Every structure is written in C-alpha cells, then in structure tokens.
Amino acid sequence: DDVYVVRQNSRSVRPARPRLELRVLGDEPPEVRLDGVVLRLRPRHVEMLTILALHRGHLNADVMCAELYGDNGHPSSVRVEMSRLRRLLPGTLESEGYGLTGPIASDVRRVRALLDRGAVRDAAQAYPGPLLPGSAAPWIERARDELEGWIRQAVITSDDADTLWAWVRSSSGTSDLLAWQRLLAALDYTDPR
C-alpha cells in the first residue's frame, strides 16, 4: 500500500510570455519585434505600444485617447485600435484595461536607464535621434522633448570629447552649435575628429 505524491511545478505549466522589442528612436522607420519576428504595424499602433511601454501604470480608453489625440479624439476609436492590436500581438496585452503583460525591451528604456545611472557616454552612443520624430501624439511629443532635453543637458555638461562626438553624430546633435563648440574645446589639436 505505497502512496506516491506527484507534485507539478506551476512554473513549467505556464507558457512563456512573448517578448516584445521596440526600436523607436532616430530617423530610421520604427521596428517592432515579437519573439524576434519583425511585425508590420501601423504608425498609430507603434505609438500605442510606445506609450504602454513607457507609461507608468495601466491606462484606460479615456487616458489613452488623451495621450494619442489630445482633445480631438474619441475613446471608441482607441478601443477599436486596441482590439486590433490585441489580435496582432497575442499574449502581450492585458485582456482588461491597457497594459503590457510580457517582457519588453526598447531603445528608449535603455537610453533612460543609462542616463539614470549617469552613463552619459553610453547613453549618447545609444541615442540615434528623437523618439518617433514623425509622431504628433501629445504624449509622444512630451516624452520626445523630455528625453531630448535630458540627454542634451547631460552631454553638454559632461565636457567629454567622446560623449560630445556621439551626440553631434546623432540627428539631434548634428546642428547643435554649443555641442560643436564644446567638442572643439575638448579635443586635442592632433585629434582627427
């Protein structure tokens, strides 16, 4: 009369959540990957994913509408777009409310994390240009301006030639006269740059 107890590990039963990757900085077209596969998404969907990836807390239709359209939107439009997005990205979005459920990586989060740690040179090298430069969504515009101002201030005050060089080579820094002046002052006269 032996009794055997079988335990099932609950972690092995749950399917892995898909990994979402966003590349939304710079002048190149944005790129969204789901488990390594590049997806073709409409610009509005890329904006929505960017907002969800960077926004603190969960959103509802009214908040997402304001973030995307300002005062000119209708929450019903957002509901329709979110429904489409859920079908395009199965397993990555909450079924109730608006939030991401799985792991996410993005170039914006990486640059922000580097700036938070004070790794200004690494942040400048990882920053190809502004966040979704073609977007007119109010939240994206605010986030773009905030990140651009943060990184520029950090670069300018660094007085590090390599950091300044990375900045002036980005689309944002190429015409930044102050950055060029600081770079020239920081470079040794024998430096080929």
Side-chain angles (χ1 to χ4, degrees):
D1 293 320
D2 293 333
V3 176
Y4 297 97
V5 176
V6 177
R7 292 185 185 201
Q8 190 172 10
N9 185 344
S10 62
R11 280 183 271 150
S12 64
V13 175
R14 271 186 255 155
R17 302 229 185 232
R19 178 177 171 80
L20 190 63
E21 298 172 58
L22 300 174
R23 187 186 46 74
V24 290
L25 290 176
D27 295 329
E28 295 293 318
E31 185 176 276
V32 176
R33 292 177 180 263
L34 185 62
D35 282 340
V37 177
V38 176
L39 303 176
R40 293 182 145 295
L41 298 179
R42 294 180 27 214
R44 183 62 71 193
H45 290 152
V46 174
E47 290 171 336
M48 293 172 82
L49 285 173
T50 302
I51 291 169
L52 291 173
L54 300 176
H55 206 284
R56 291 176 177 83
H58 299 282
L59 305 174
N60 59 35
D62 293 327
V63 174
M64 179 64 87
C65 182
E67 304 294 29
L68 284 171
Y69 303 106
D71 296 333
N72 301 323
H74 298 285
S76 59
S77 301
V78 171
R79 288 184 190 99
V80 169
E81 292 297 338
M82 189 58 75
S83 177
R84 289 179 183 148
L85 198 53
R86 281 189 181 105
R87 283 194 303 272
L88 293 168
L89 303 168
T92 61
L93 298 164
E94 294 176 349
S95 57
E96 298 294 322
Y98 303 155
L100 297 168
T101 60
I104 181 158
S106 76
D107 51 359
V108 179
R109 291 171 101 182
R110 180 170 185 264
V111 169
R112 283 178 162 186
L114 290 167
L115 287 169
D116 273 340
R117 288 197 326 254
V120 179
R121 181 185 299 171
D122 293 337
Q125 291 170 343
Y127 185 78
L131 170 66
L132 295 174
S135 174
W139 192 92
I140 299 289
E141 288 179 334
R142 285 190 310 273
R144 178 189 312 134
D145 292 346
E146 175 188 306
L147 182 60
E148 185 102 349
W150 186 11
I151 193 164
R152 182 180 185 273
Q153 181 66 28
V155 167
I156 294 294
T157 58
S158 75
D159 284 329
D160 175 69
D162 292 330
T163 303
L164 287 158
W165 178 246
W167 172 251
V168 299
R169 293 178 62 214
S170 74
S171 63
S172 297
T174 191
S175 60
D176 188 335
L177 183 58
L178 179 58
W180 280 104
Q181 290 170 338
R182 294 275 178 118
L183 174 62
L184 290 173
L187 290 174
D188 184 84
Y189 75 96
T190 60
D191 192 313
R193 290 178 285 187

